[in-house]
């Protein structure tokens, strides 16, 4: 039964790259086989409930621009209307997954007991829709950053009662994620950081955050949740200094608190840019450290310095991201969540659909380019050539058994005088350019 919100818009179909239909896929063809696997199963697309359905179009200079019949979001009837429209959109797009924060899906009643029962009611309602449409939950998460209660942090709050409120909130969201068959549970530390050290005991806050995450992992095992627990790096915004700055910082944190084998990372393109990295740097770092979990796909404005959460539109960037994901074995339980929103002037229902279609097409092009580079093998070959010296028995013995003294002896006895070799960067960039 149609809600009428997307009146006149029909299910997006793959029409190929020659089609000029703006509401059709030109590159995303779910059943097309890429490196032995259906494209849909590689990409595992998810729609983010918050940007598409909860956000009202505000920016720091002005409020609501989006006229949606389910706003204001303070009542269960409208929460259900929002779910009806959301699942209609998942179906029009043919996305296999969606993601939510508790605050996106249920009306906020302000107190914990009421929030618990409204979350239970709306997630039951959504499960009915999941059954009807076949849409699955990629991940659930708790919004512990929007209301004033969390302004000084959730697990890192100086007030132990906020820590307690946060623990209960995460428990409720993990319970709902398990109930809905979610494949991951995400923790983005929205306010886990600080504005000024003048009022912050950083060591204590990090210890509290480490203890909190250990409780999350204990609870995951207790309830038999088989999904991945993911933390999401971001360097700044909303806090000036976020504790989960980037992939490397998160790994150090996980290791310090004994969680490096329990928790993986959900990496976001825009957050990588804000941290002064590229998306592929963050993905390759996580892969090298064994903590690559999932991605939030979007793009960040390179000039603005804040988190713009735009839909991706840069094939070379996306291709390199998927190249590293495929090289790491591809997604298992993770996927591609569009943590992206339309611009506040894009007020038509069609804009919501077209933005996702465009993003899915860009990812499909990126995936196909990445797969073509892997199948061609040029980059892997260049790498193995560059490191070929390490294949020798002498080099391997140095690595395993060498000491500074024994190595010095060999440098002297063999009169080692290594000649510099080109890094061939431009040649490799030209190579990539053939595929994107
Ligand atoms: C914020 C952000 C969040 C997380 C989930 O920048 O990316 O939407 O993905 O809380
Ligand atoms: Co995100």
């Amino acid at each position: 039964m149609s809600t009428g919100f997307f009146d006149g818009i029909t299910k997006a179909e793959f029409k190929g790259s020659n089609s000029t239909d703006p509401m059709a896929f030109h590159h995303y063809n779910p059943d097309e086989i890429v490196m032995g696997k259906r494209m849909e199963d590689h990409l595992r697309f998810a729609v983010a409930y918050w940007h598409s359905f909860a956000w009202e179009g505000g920016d720091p200079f002005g409020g609501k621009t989006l006229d949606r019949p389910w706003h204001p979001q303070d009542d269960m009837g409208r929460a259900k209307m929002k779910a009806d429209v959301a699942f209609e959109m998942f179906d029009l797009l043919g996305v296999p997954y969606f993601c939510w924060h508790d605050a996106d899906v249920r009306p906020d009643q302000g107190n914990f007991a009421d929030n618990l029962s409204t979350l239970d009611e709306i997630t039951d309602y959504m499960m009915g829709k999941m059954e009807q449409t076949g849409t699955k939950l990629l991940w659930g998460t708790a919004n512990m950053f929007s209301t004033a209660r969390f302004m000084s942090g959730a697990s890192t709050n100086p007030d132990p009662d906020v820590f307690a409120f946060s623990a209960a909130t995460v428990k409720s969201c993990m319970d709902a994620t398990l109930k809905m068959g979610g494949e991951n549970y995400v923790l983005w530390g929205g306010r886990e950081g600080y504005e000024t050290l003048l009022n912050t005991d950083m060591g204590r806050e990090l210890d509290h955050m480490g203890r909190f995450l250990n409780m999350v992992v204990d609870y995951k095992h207790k309830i038999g949740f088989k999904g991945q627990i993911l933390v999401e790096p971001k360097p700044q915004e909303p806090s000036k200094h976020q504790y989960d700055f980037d992939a490397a910082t998160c790994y150090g944190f996980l290791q310090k608190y004994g969680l490096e084998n329990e928790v993986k990372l959900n990496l976001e393109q825009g957050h990588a840019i804000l941290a002064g990295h590229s998306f592929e740097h963050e993905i390759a770092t996580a892969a090298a450290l064994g903590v690559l979990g999932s991605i939030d796909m979007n793009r960040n404005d390179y000039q603005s310095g804040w988190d713009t959460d735009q839909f991706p539109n840069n094939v070379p960037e996306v291709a390199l991201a998927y190249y590293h994901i495929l090289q790491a074995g591809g997604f298992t339980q993770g996927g591609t969540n569009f943590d992206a929103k339309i611009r506040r002037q894009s007020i038509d229902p069609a804009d919501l659909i077209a933005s996702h279609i465009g993003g899915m097409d860009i990812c499909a092009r990126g995936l196909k380019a990445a797969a073509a580079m892997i199948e061609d093998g040029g980059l892997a070959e260049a790498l193995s050539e560059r490191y070929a010296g390490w294949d020798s028995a002498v080099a391997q013995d140095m690595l395993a058994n060498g000491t500074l003294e024994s190595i010095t002896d060999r440098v002297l006895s063999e009169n080692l005088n290594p000649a510099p070799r080109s890094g061939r960067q431009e040649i490799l960039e030209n190579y990539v350019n053939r595929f994107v």
Side-chain angles (χ1 to χ4, degrees):
M1 194 185 58
S2 161
T3 62
F5 182 73
F6 293 112
D7 207 18
I9 300 176
T10 52
K11 210 168 154 66
E13 284 172 46
F14 172 70
K15 294 193 176 167
S17 54
N18 292 330
S19 159
T20 55
D21 181 350
M23 302 304 267
F25 294 115
H26 303 115
H27 304 278
Y28 178 61
N29 183 10
D31 290 321
E32 188 175 321
I33 302 294
V34 176
M35 283 174 67
K37 201 156 118 179
R38 291 175 65 250
M39 209 185 268
E40 179 178 281
D41 301 333
H42 271 293
L43 291 162
R44 295 166 59 82
F45 285 131
V47 167
Y49 219 89
W50 50 101
H51 287 312
S52 289
F53 307 108
W55 182 59
E56 298 185 350
D59 74 4
F61 300 91
K64 185 174 162 62
T65 58
L66 305 175
D67 183 20
R68 309 295 194 224
W70 58 90
H71 294 165
Q73 301 165 81
D74 56 0
D75 130 304
M76 184 53 82
R78 286 193 292 271
K80 288 183 178 166
M81 187 198 300
K82 177 163 55 171
D84 293 344
V85 171
F87 278 83
E88 200 165 289
M89 184 170 102
F90 305 154
D91 193 48
L92 287 172
L93 290 169
V95 283
Y97 292 99
F98 70 108
C99 299
W100 51 254
H101 299 85
D102 51 352
D104 309 326
V105 294
R106 55 143 175 74
D108 195 345
Q109 311 292 349
N111 81 73
F112 185 73
D114 289 342
N115 283 352
L116 201 58
S117 69
T118 50
L119 183 65
D120 210 37
E121 184 179 342
I122 194 70
T123 48
D124 279 348
Y125 185 75
M126 289 163 83
M127 281 169 72
K129 307 237 140 224
M130 290 168 75
E131 197 145 312
Q132 279 163 24
T133 59
T135 316
K136 294 168 286 182
L137 179 64
L138 187 64
W139 48 264
T141 189
N143 178 329
M144 301 196 295
F145 43 87
S146 290
T147 64
R149 175 179 295 125
F150 298 114
M151 71 180 188
S152 309
S155 69
T156 62
N157 201 290
D159 180 349
D161 285 353
V162 179
F163 182 102
F165 196 98
S166 306
T169 300
V170 167
K171 177 185 177 297
S172 72
C173 290
M174 289 176 75
D175 288 341
T177 301
L178 175 74
K179 174 176 89 173
M180 298 170 89
E183 299 189 28
N184 306 270
Y185 184 82
V186 167
L187 297 108
W188 166 58
R191 305 263 174 201
E192 312 292 35
Y194 67 88
E195 293 300 313
T196 172
L197 280 177
L198 297 175
N199 65 13
T200 303
D201 182 343
M202 197 193 321
R204 185 197 284 259
E205 292 199 357
L206 287 168
D207 285 349
H208 291 179
M209 197 162 98
R211 179 73 188 102
F212 190 93
L213 198 51
N214 267 284
M215 290 180 193
V216 169
V217 168
D218 288 347
Y219 189 62
K220 161 192 161 148
H221 292 304
K222 177 147 192 230
I223 61 177
F225 178 61
K226 299 283 177 260
Q228 305 183 111
I229 301 291
L230 304 172
V231 297
E232 184 173 320
K234 186 174 184 181
Q236 80 258 349
E237 205 207 9
S239 300
K240 163 73 178 139
H241 301 272
Q242 297 276 152
Y243 293 137
D244 292 335
F245 188 94
D246 62 0
T249 310
C250 285
Y251 186 76
F253 172 85
L254 294 176
Q255 218 178 17
K256 174 160 165 70
Y257 295 101
L259 293 164
E260 71 274 23
N261 298 318
E262 293 282 0
V263 177
K264 290 190 158 77
L265 304 182
N266 183 42
L267 300 162
E268 179 165 329
Q269 202 269 3
H271 298 178
I273 303 305
L274 289 173
H277 300 309
S278 62
F279 198 17
E280 70 265 24
H281 166 87
E282 287 293 85
I283 292 167
T285 301
L289 295 169
V291 289
L292 176 58
S294 197
I295 62 168
D296 273 7
M297 179 55 85
N298 55 25
R299 87 175 194 270
N300 209 59
D301 186 287
Y302 280 98
Q303 287 83 41
S304 68
W306 68 87
D307 190 6
T308 58
D309 283 329
Q310 290 166 259
F311 280 86
N313 76 346
N314 183 323
V315 176
E317 268 179 9
V318 170
L320 289 176
Y322 283 116
Y323 180 81
H324 288 280
I325 289 166
L326 290 177
Q327 287 290 67
F331 294 127
T332 51
Q333 289 165 293
T336 303
N337 171 45
F338 284 109
D339 196 348
K341 60 175 184 262
I342 46 177
R343 299 302 88 189
R344 72 195 290 270
Q345 299 174 55
S346 304
I347 58 176
D348 295 344
D351 295 318
L352 265 180
I353 304 279
S355 56
H356 284 89
I357 289 178
M360 291 161 81
D361 261 350
I362 291 283
C363 291
R365 285 182 67 187
L367 177 82
K368 285 190 279 190
M373 287 191 283
I374 289 174
E375 278 164 349
D376 182 78
L379 288 178
E381 205 177 294
L383 263 198
S384 59
E385 208 172 282
R386 190 160 191 236
Y387 291 87
W390 286 98
D391 296 340
S392 76
V394 176
Q396 285 303 310
D397 181 59
M398 168 172 73
L399 206 53
N401 309 310
T403 63
L404 293 188
E405 301 99 302
S406 69
I407 295 172
T408 304
D409 288 346
R410 191 169 64 85
V411 170
L412 286 171
S413 70
E414 294 180 19
N415 190 21
L416 286 190
N417 191 11
R421 290 173 57 203
S422 172
R424 302 174 69 238
Q425 180 168 338
E426 294 75 12
I427 289 174
L428 294 171
E429 285 169 352
N430 297 350
Y431 171 87
V432 170
N433 205 31
R434 279 175 35 211
F435 295 85
V436 297

